[in-house]
């Protein structure tokens, strides 16, 4: 008898405010089978249900219970909440591992992420790297209690922060306005597109929102006119954290974020209000959402001009979201390891997708994403017409390097890099280390053939004072003291093929007097860091994610040169 | 007929601990004076000796103003600026029969009436929403205060953390009694914003009073950003405010749910961290609230002939930046401010309330040696109550105090002791 490799857990589909036929919408999600214990506790997730406000430790919950709970149980049973977060975290982890073709580690030494579904009576939820934990708060609104742990979007969003930290640890550091925004944007993209993986949920939401007030001539079909972009945009499908908003629009869906409402504008990122990381992140989210919507509507139009089968509509949505989400996650492997700009991510995602899925005839997804991003002022960093990184034409010297080891051993990989530092233009005087080496196995969707790659990241830094910036072609921002300690960073991602040949070298190098582009980029980073207070005493980024969630637009850009 | 002009200004700066209380006496010929009280609040009494009560200070003010106040200015709603207007000390001030009470536009009573006027889009409707939101923020502070006793008893939550929470919570509560007392005081109320005409020409002959802040929502995108009409902008704070102060914040979340009798072994490392993070979350919320309120602060420039006295309350950069950078006449304002003679140091000497290059860097009298020309600075503060040196946020900020001492005639309320008197008198000849 075949043994299933996945189990199913019932979760709240979006959050308790999204109801169909008067009931909270739930869904089954698949999680990898494991020897899960009470908590639930498994090999990657440990739910610890402690409430700091009431000083209560709830009993450990049984790991699996796919029964359809009543609304009362959903709201009033902490064990359901514990299973809800376990299920969503594990499903998100599995999604990442599928896309990347390998196991994904958390960004801390342990293997189990702690998840606290009722951490405190504070209206916030965040990933704490120091505590190796996701913490979900709750708060009262009138007679109701809002549990952030019951929001699909919030749980997936926070889980993505933890996964991204494991994949690209340095993206949590201050570097540029784009990088500060990227964590938020990427987490939003994953949360939004993940909803589409629950097809029955999408079907019911299409019925509920797009079908509302429209003509439905036969069971299972909705009017094509109801599936127009504007109506779909207004649905819960494109809203994040619906329940967090106290005042809803009378006729629509309130939400913490509705990035899809952001109209395309090539100058958006230059505007002052879009320097705030959440607002800036919304621009990238809007570009991805619009690309998705454009492709989906195109597919729906092909299904008919009068009535559209809702199952088919949901299936098309799921298929497109699946590809787009996989492209986004896979793209992480093709990003430079430091100082990310949105344009880097765009090129990375397009390249990653092209490598595994060369034929894009069905959806024209890459072309649509490229044009959608351009409409929001996000241009591929590669500068190529298709937006993909240029393939490397370098033949690495491999004398003395063992190919078997280079796929997984950082020391062996560093030997390869050292032997080729001239080719790779990596200065040997900088402190350098290989931060990650991962063999990956990805499956080409059309022919099912494996694509094997090795992805390695090498990071370099030099520590200097502001007075020495001139040696690197940089100058201190006005007001910076010459004794200020500065760390200049550079980094390269090397993607090797199954024979160990270099396919891509994606670098943001250390600045060098003779490299105008690197200097320009490093100077922008330095100015941004100074302006945002990174060089102020005591500034720390460990608590940044919690603060970012809290401070949406409540803070404005303050000028470093004006404070004491 | 030429209006009389003051012949000198006497400024009384009172040591009220962590707070502001300054009396301006404009003296005219023949022994006549006109008086202005700028703020009257405290959250932490002065250190050592026998610090005065607010009643003592009120009586002192009564004597020094000759039993009559002409103008009362409440720069913003923080307790350390208005708490004294409540209770018996407030009654003493009220008894001095001030004619005009000046407050920022956010305090206009009618504005806060309609908190949910979401359909209207007029500037006034936007202002109403903003003030309604401020009310919710005050409620959040009250809720945070309510939780402090429990936090103080929680292992892992340090005393310094709860002290800072208490301090900021107390500063940011609504101060309803003081607000009410201010509304009942005076014959006329002015709710001012950048560019307002306060109509004080008859009350303070020969003294120009220019309002440089706060800007209105229409004037300043920064302030407007803080008051953005989307309900989500302050959802963390608003949610905290929704819990009703006075009701037990600790309740049975899941009645009848199974609980563990003791913390299981696997959770022992994490539990104290969760306790600490909860307190840190609350502290972050009240810090945001504190900044928002500071930016509603009045910035007033008194002009007597060529002598300029600058009183910015607790205004921070976002408030300042309109007058100094974006207002149509900002270049003219900067040029005139360069000649400031007396500067009341903003926000008790915090790191971001005296714009370093835009304002301080432009003061031509800073660094002057001649006492008749040298900039006079007034710092009303108490160290060790706000911020921390390790984060570079201590109040007063060390670097700023060094600069004030080196380049101006600094009057620091911390130097006012029982032995030497709890106030300082600064005389500015005109």
């Amino acid at each position: 008898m075949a043994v299933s490799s996945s189990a199913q857990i019932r979760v709240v589909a979006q959050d308790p405010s999204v109801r169909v036929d008067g009931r909270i919408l739930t869904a089954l999600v698949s999680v990898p089978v494991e020897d899960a214990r009470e908590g639930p506790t498994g090999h990657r997730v440990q739910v610890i249900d402690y409430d700091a406000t009431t000083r209560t430790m709830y009993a450990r919950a049984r790991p699996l219970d796919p029964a359809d709970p009543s609304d009362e149980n959903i709201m009033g049973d902490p064990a359901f909440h514990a299973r809800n977060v376990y299920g969503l975290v594990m499903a998100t982890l599995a999604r990442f591992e599928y896309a990347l073709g390998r196991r994904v580690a958390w960004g801390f030494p342990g293997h189990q992420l702690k998840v606290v579904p009722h951490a405190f009576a504070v209206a916030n939820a965040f990933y704490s790297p120091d505590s190796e934990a996701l913490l979900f708060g709750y708060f009262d609104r009138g007679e109701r209690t809002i549990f952030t742990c019951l929001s699909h979007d919030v749980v997936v969003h926070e889980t993505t922060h933890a996964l991204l930290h494991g994949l690209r640890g340095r993206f949590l550091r201050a570097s540029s306005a784009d990088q500060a925004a990227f964590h938020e944007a990427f987490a939003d993209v994953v949360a939004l597109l993940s909803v589409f993986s629950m097809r029955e949920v999408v079907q019911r939401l299409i019925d509920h929102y797009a079908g509302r007030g429209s003509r439905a001539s036969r069971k299972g079909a909705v009017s094509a006119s109801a599936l127009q972009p504007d109506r779909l945009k207004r649905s819960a499908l494109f809203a994040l954290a619906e329940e967090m908003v106290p005042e809803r629009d009378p006729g629509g869906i309130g939400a913490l974020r509705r990035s899809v409402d952001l109209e395309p504008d090539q100058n958006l990122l230059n505007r002052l209000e879009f320097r705030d990381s959440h607002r800036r992140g919304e621009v990238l989210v809007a570009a991805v959402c619009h690309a998705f919507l454009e492709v989906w509507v195109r597919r729906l139009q092909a299904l008919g001009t009068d009535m559209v089968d809702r199952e088919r509509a949901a299936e098309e949505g799921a298929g497109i979201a699946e590809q787009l989400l996989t492209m986004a996650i896979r793209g992480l492997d093709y990003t430079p390891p430091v100082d990310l700009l949105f344009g880097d991510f765009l090129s990375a995602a397009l390249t990653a997708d092209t490598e595994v899925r060369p034929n894009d005839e069905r959806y024209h997804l890459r072309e649509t994403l490229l044009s959608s991003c351009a409409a929001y002022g996000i241009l591929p960093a590669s500068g190529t017409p298709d937006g993909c990184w240029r393939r490397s034409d370098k033949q690495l010297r491999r004398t003395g390097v063992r190919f078997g080891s280079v796929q997984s051993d950082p020391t062996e990989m560093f030997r390869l890099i050292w032997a080729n530092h001239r080719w790779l233009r990596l200065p040997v005087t900088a402190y350098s280390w290989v931060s990650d080496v991962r063999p990956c196995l990805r499956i080409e969707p059309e022919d099912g053939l494996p694509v094997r790659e090795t992805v390695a990241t090498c990071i370099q830094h030099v520590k200097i004072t502001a007075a020495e910036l001139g040696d690197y072609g940089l100058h201190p921002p006005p007001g910076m003291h010459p004794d200020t300690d500065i760390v200049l960073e550079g980094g390269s991602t090397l993607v090797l093929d199954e024979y160990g040949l270099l396919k891509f070298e994606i670098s943001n190098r250390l600045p060098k007097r003779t490299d105008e582009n690197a200097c320009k980029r490093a100077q922008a980073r330095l100015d941004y860091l100074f302006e945002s207070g990174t060089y102020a005493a005591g500034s720390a980024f460990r608590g940044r994610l919690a603060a970012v969630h809290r401070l949406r637009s409540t803070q404005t850009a303050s000028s470093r040169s004006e404070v004491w | 007929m030429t209006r009389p002009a003051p012949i000198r200004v006497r400024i009384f700066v009172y040591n009220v601990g962590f707070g502001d209380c300054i009396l301006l006496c404009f003296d005219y010929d023949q022994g006549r004076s006109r008086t202005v009280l700028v703020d009257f609040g405290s959250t932490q009494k002065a250190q050592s000796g026998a610090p005065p009560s607010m009643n003592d200070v009120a009586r002192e003010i009564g004597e020094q103003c000759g039993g009559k106040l002409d103008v009362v200015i409440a720069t913003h709603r923080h307790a350390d600026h208005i708490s004294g207007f409540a209770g018996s000390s407030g009654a003493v001030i009220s008894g001095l029969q001030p004619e005009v009470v000046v407050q920022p536009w956010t305090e206009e009573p009618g504005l806060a009436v309609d908190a949910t006027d979401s359909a209207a889009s007029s500037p006034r409707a936007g202002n109403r929403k903003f003030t309604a939101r401020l009310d919710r923020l005050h409620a959040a502070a009250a809720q945070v205060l309510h939780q402090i006793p429990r936090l103080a008893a929680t292992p892992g939550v340090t005393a310094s953390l709860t002290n800072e929470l208490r301090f900021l919570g107390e500063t940011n509560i609504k101060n309803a009694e003081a607000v009410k007392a201010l509304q009942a005081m005076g014959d006329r109320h002015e709710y001012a914003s950048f560019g307002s005409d306060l109509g004080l020409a008859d009350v303070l002959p020969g003294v120009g009073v220019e309002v440089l802040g706060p800007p209105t929502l229409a004037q300043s995108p920064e302030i407007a950003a803080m008051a953005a009409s989307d309900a989500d902008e302050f959802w963390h704070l608003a949610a905290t405010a929704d819990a009703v102060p006075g009701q037990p914040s600790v309740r049975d979340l899941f009645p009848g749910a199974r609980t563990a009798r003791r913390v299981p072994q696997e959770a022992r490392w994490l539990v104290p961290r969760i306790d600490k993070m909860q307190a840190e979350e609350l502290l972050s919320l009240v810090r945001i609230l504190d900044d928002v309120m500071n930016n509603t602060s009045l910035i007033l420039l008194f002009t007597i002939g060529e002598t300029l006295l600058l009183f910015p309350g607790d205004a921070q950069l976002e408030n300042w930046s309109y007058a100094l950078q974006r207002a149509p006449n900002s270049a003219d304002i900067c040029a005139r401010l360069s000649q400031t003679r007396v500067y009341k140091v903003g926000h008790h000497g915090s790191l971001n309330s005296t714009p370093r290059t835009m304002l301080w860097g432009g003061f031509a009298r800073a660094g002057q040696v001649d006492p008749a020309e040298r900039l006079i600075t007034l710092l009303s503060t108490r160290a060790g109550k706000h911020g921390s040196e390790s984060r570079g946020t201590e109040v007063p900020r060390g670097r700023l105090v060094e600069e004030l001492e080196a380049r101006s005639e600094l009057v620091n309320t911390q130097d006012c002791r029982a032995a030497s008197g709890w106030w300082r008198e600064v005389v500015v000849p005109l």
Side-chain angles (χ1 to χ4, degrees):
Chain A
M1 191 177 81
V3 178
S4 173
S5 61
S6 67
Q8 291 198 307
I9 291 185
R10 187 161 292 276
V11 297
V12 175
Q14 287 212 287
D15 69 34
S17 75
V18 178
R19 291 167 184 251
V20 171
D21 301 331
R23 286 200 61 197
I24 296 170
L25 191 58
T26 63
L28 288 168
V29 292
S30 294
V31 297
V33 164
E34 63 168 340
D35 183 17
R37 301 303 174 97
E38 286 194 331
T41 294
H43 71 299
R44 304 304 307 278
V45 173
Q46 184 177 38
V47 177
I48 293 176
D49 201 356
Y50 173 71
D51 180 347
T53 299
T54 61
R55 305 280 293 276
T56 304
M57 174 64 75
Y58 294 101
R60 299 182 185 106
R62 281 183 291 122
L64 294 174
D65 187 356
D68 196 0
S70 67
D71 285 4
E72 289 70 30
N73 278 344
I74 288 173
M75 297 307 294
D77 181 6
F80 177 82
H81 297 194
R83 282 191 290 277
N84 191 69
V85 288
Y86 170 80
L88 288 173
V89 174
M90 285 300 289
T92 308
L93 171 66
R95 193 70 197 68
F96 271 67
E97 291 187 339
Y98 163 77
L100 293 169
R102 62 169 192 269
R103 297 290 175 217
V104 178
W106 304 116
F108 46 83
H111 302 289
Q112 292 164 299
L113 177 72
K114 289 107 186 140
V115 184
V116 190
H118 310 103
F120 26 60
V122 174
N124 202 5
F126 56 89
Y127 165 54
S128 166
D130 287 344
S131 296
E132 306 178 357
L134 303 183
L135 298 114
F136 297 95
Y138 62 89
F139 56 98
D140 287 343
R141 178 171 302 140
E143 298 294 306
R144 290 174 56 218
T145 301
I146 308 293
F147 296 102
T148 60
C149 70
L150 290 184
S151 165
H152 171 279
D153 305 332
V154 173
V155 177
V156 174
H157 177 106
E158 300 309 332
T159 307
T160 303
H161 279 312
L163 286 161
L164 188 50
H165 182 217
L167 288 162
R168 283 286 187 268
R170 295 188 103 72
F171 287 0
L172 260 186
R173 296 184 173 214
S175 181
S176 64
D178 275 12
Q179 183 162 297
F182 181 74
H183 245 276
E184 287 303 310
F186 189 75
D188 275 4
V189 165
V190 175
L192 278 165
L193 294 179
S194 293
V195 171
F196 287 88
S197 66
M198 299 181 287
R199 290 178 200 195
E200 77 276 20
V201 173
V202 178
Q203 281 178 32
R204 300 191 75 171
L205 288 174
I206 286 175
D207 281 350
H208 192 65
Y209 295 106
R212 191 169 51 186
S214 68
R215 183 171 56 90
S217 65
R218 65 175 191 274
K219 195 178 176 186
V222 289
S223 164
S225 64
L227 297 174
Q228 293 305 304
D230 282 350
R231 291 190 76 157
L232 290 170
K233 274 165 73 173
R234 284 201 303 273
S235 74
L237 291 166
F238 290 95
L240 276 170
E242 291 85 349
E243 204 179 26
M244 306 305 137
V245 185
E247 300 141 20
R248 287 169 168 247
D249 312 332
I253 299 295
L256 188 58
R257 286 192 289 288
R258 293 187 58 83
S259 306
V260 74
D261 288 341
L262 209 57
E263 290 299 323
D265 178 350
Q266 292 181 352
N267 199 37
L268 222 45
L269 292 170
N270 297 326
R271 283 172 29 192
L272 180 67
E273 65 264 40
F274 288 94
R275 283 181 73 88
D276 162 83
S277 59
H278 256 102
R279 292 292 284 154
R280 195 172 189 83
E282 283 188 48
V283 180
L284 181 58
V285 180
V288 175
C289 282
H290 274 256
F292 170 78
L293 197 58
E294 190 180 328
V295 176
W296 193 23
V297 168
R298 206 157 53 213
R299 295 293 300 174
L300 292 174
Q301 285 167 347
L303 295 178
T305 53
D306 183 23
M307 302 301 291
V308 175
D309 184 293
R310 69 184 177 97
E311 277 186 32
R312 186 71 195 279
E315 198 176 299
E316 288 290 345
I320 298 158
E322 167 87 15
Q323 291 297 345
L324 198 52
L325 184 55
T326 302
M327 185 195 294
I329 296 171
R330 214 166 258 169
L332 294 173
D333 267 354
Y334 288 71
T335 56
V338 298
D339 196 22
L340 183 80
L341 299 179
F342 287 168
D344 292 322
F345 174 67
L346 176 58
S347 284
L350 295 169
T351 310
D353 194 55
T354 307
E355 287 302 295
V356 182
R357 199 179 60 91
N359 185 351
D360 192 27
E361 290 296 312
R362 183 177 166 85
Y363 296 132
H364 297 279
L365 205 49
R366 292 193 290 269
E367 185 186 319
T368 312
L369 181 65
L370 193 61
S371 62
S372 180
C373 284
Y376 284 91
I378 301 169
L379 302 175
S382 64
T384 54
D386 63 359
C388 295
W389 296 121
R390 290 176 207 281
R391 281 183 169 273
S392 175
D393 53 4
K394 292 173 183 134
Q395 297 290 324
L396 295 181
R397 292 172 56 188
R398 293 158 64 179
T399 314
V401 175
R402 295 169 187 272
F403 178 61
S405 302
V406 90
Q407 290 180 304
S408 56
D409 182 350
T411 307
E412 195 71 32
M413 177 57 77
F414 191 66
R415 179 175 181 149
L416 178 68
I417 290 169
W418 185 261
N420 293 279
H421 69 86
R422 281 199 186 84
W423 289 100
L424 296 170
R425 290 188 286 152
L426 299 175
V428 291
T429 52
Y431 184 85
S432 314
W433 73 103
V434 170
S435 57
D436 204 15
V437 183
R438 298 281 174 185
C440 313
L441 176 65
R442 291 148 190 174
I443 305 299
E444 205 168 308
E446 286 202 349
D447 56 17
L449 292 176
V451 176
R452 295 176 195 275
E453 290 179 336
T454 300
V455 180
T457 49
C458 177
I459 294 172
Q460 296 197 297
H461 74 233
V462 290
K463 291 187 175 180
I464 58 171
T465 63
E468 297 172 292
L469 283 167
D471 299 344
Y472 293 85
L474 306 176
H475 55 81
M480 178 181 267
H481 194 279
D483 291 339
T484 307
D485 289 327
I486 305 280
V487 178
L488 299 177
E489 279 196 336
S492 298
T493 296
L494 306 180
V495 182
L496 309 184
D497 69 11
E498 57 196 314
Y499 308 107
L501 301 175
L502 185 64
K503 286 170 76 176
F504 295 100
E505 178 221 347
I506 303 145
S507 298
N508 282 331
R509 292 191 177 79
L510 280 167
K512 190 177 167 188
R513 274 173 175 281
T514 51
D515 186 342
E516 192 182 340
N517 283 339
C519 286
K520 196 173 162 189
R521 192 170 183 129
Q523 186 67 50
R525 176 177 181 267
L526 184 68
D527 292 344
Y528 171 82
L529 292 179
F530 185 65
E531 184 73 12
S532 57
T534 302
Y535 297 108
S539 66
F541 286 85
R542 306 299 292 173
R544 202 176 67 82
L545 287 174
V548 161
H549 289 187
R550 225 165 22 233
L551 293 182
R552 287 201 65 212
S553 298
T554 56
Q555 281 193 331
T556 50
S558 66
S559 169
R560 259 339 275 174
S561 59
E562 295 305 327
V563 302
W564 293 87
Chain B
M1 197 178 88
T2 315
R3 283 182 178 277
I7 54 172
R8 64 174 179 173
V9 187
R10 287 176 294 135
I11 304 173
F12 295 90
V13 187
Y14 302 90
N15 182 352
V16 287
F18 199 95
D20 263 17
C21 178
I22 296 174
L23 178 68
L24 303 176
C25 297
F26 298 96
D27 294 339
Y28 298 81
D29 277 337
Q30 300 172 342
R32 291 174 305 135
S33 287
R34 295 292 168 98
T35 53
V36 178
L37 177 63
V38 183
D39 288 336
F40 182 47
S42 171
T43 48
Q44 300 280 325
K45 282 188 170 181
Q47 291 164 304
S48 71
S53 68
M54 293 309 273
N55 277 331
D56 297 332
V57 177
R59 280 192 290 274
E60 201 65 54
I61 290 169
E63 284 187 24
Q64 280 150 352
C65 74
K68 168 69 180 164
L69 273 176
D70 294 290
V71 179
V72 163
I73 292 166
T75 56
H76 62 298
R77 198 188 277 206
H78 270 154
D80 56 333
H81 291 253
I82 65 166
S83 64
F85 292 115
S88 53
S89 58
V92 175
I93 299 298
S94 185
L96 300 173
Q97 298 182 320
E99 289 177 32
V100 184
V101 176
V102 183
Q103 291 174 269
W105 65 266
T106 50
E107 294 299 317
E108 188 177 347
L111 275 182
V113 177
D114 186 358
T116 55
D117 188 7
S118 56
S121 57
S122 67
R124 193 172 168 80
N127 292 348
R128 269 202 294 272
K129 293 183 83 168
F130 183 48
T131 53
R133 186 153 290 162
L134 292 180
D135 272 350
R136 290 168 70 84
L137 302 189
H138 293 306
Q143 183 56 30
V144 168
L145 269 181
H146 193 70
Q147 297 191 38
I148 287 177
R150 186 185 51 77
L151 289 171
T154 304
V157 178
T158 61
S160 66
L161 217 161
T162 49
N163 285 343
E164 194 171 356
L165 261 177
R166 185 178 292 109
F167 172 72
L168 286 174
E170 286 173 352
T171 304
N172 285 283
I173 53 175
K174 193 170 182 180
N175 297 302
E177 196 185 345
V179 170
K180 210 170 163 184
L182 280 162
Q183 284 169 3
M185 209 178 278
D187 302 327
R188 180 158 66 90
H189 289 81
E190 293 291 338
Y191 299 99
S193 58
F194 176 91
S196 295
D197 178 3
L198 298 178
L200 295 177
D202 291 333
V203 185
L204 302 174
V207 181
V209 187
E210 191 175 350
V211 185
L212 300 182
T216 61
L217 298 184
Q219 288 167 334
S220 169
E222 273 85 0
I223 299 286
M226 290 196 295
S229 57
D230 292 338
D232 60 323
E233 301 300 353
F234 283 107
W235 72 278
H236 298 101
L237 283 164
T240 307
D242 278 344
V244 181
Q247 284 192 352
S249 57
V250 178
R251 61 184 175 81
D252 196 355
L253 196 61
F254 302 109
R258 287 193 308 132
T259 57
R261 275 179 295 176
R262 59 196 181 112
V263 176
Q265 195 280 328
E266 73 269 18
R268 286 179 196 168
W269 176 78
L270 187 63
V271 162
R273 287 170 166 264
I274 302 172
D275 288 332
K276 187 163 178 253
M277 280 187 277
Q278 187 214 1
E280 288 170 345
E281 279 292 290
L282 294 176
L283 182 58
S284 300
L285 291 176
V286 288
R287 278 195 190 130
I288 297 168
L289 168 55
D290 198 54
D291 286 349
V292 171
M293 287 308 297
N294 284 335
N295 278 323
T296 66
S297 193
L298 283 170
I299 304 174
L300 297 177
L301 179 65
F302 295 85
T303 307
I304 314 105
E306 293 184 348
T307 302
L308 277 67
L309 319 175
L310 181 56
F311 284 78
D314 282 359
Q316 296 184 346
L317 283 179
E318 295 79 4
N319 187 341
W320 272 114
S321 59
Y322 184 73
L324 300 179
Q325 285 188 313
R326 285 193 309 282
N329 58 338
S330 62
D332 171 59
I333 291 170
C334 290
R336 284 186 292 123
L337 288 181
S338 70
Q339 296 306 314
T340 298
R341 183 71 209 279
V342 177
Y343 169 58
K344 200 284 306 188
V345 180
H347 194 210
H348 320 285
S350 75
L351 82 163
N352 62 350
S353 293
T354 299
R356 193 167 60 171
T357 63
M358 288 193 295
L359 183 72
W360 179 258
F363 284 151
R365 294 174 185 273
Q368 293 267 12
V369 180
D370 180 357
E373 295 294 327
R374 191 171 169 84
L375 177 71
I376 298 167
T377 52
L378 314 174
L379 177 60
S380 185
T381 193
R382 178 180 159 181
K385 300 313 296 180
H386 202 353
S388 79
E389 279 188 45
S390 61
R391 293 199 306 267
T393 58
E394 78 279 11
V395 178
R397 178 83 171 123
R399 286 165 65 177
L400 172 61
V401 175
E402 284 172 22
E403 186 82 352
L404 294 170
E405 286 172 340
R407 295 172 57 80
S408 72
E409 202 59 45
L410 173 64
V411 177
N412 188 336
T413 56
Q414 293 188 113
D415 301 331
C416 302
R417 305 279 169 172
S420 57
W422 288 100
W423 72 90
R424 284 278 184 281
E425 181 181 1
V426 178
V427 179
V428 185
L430 301 172

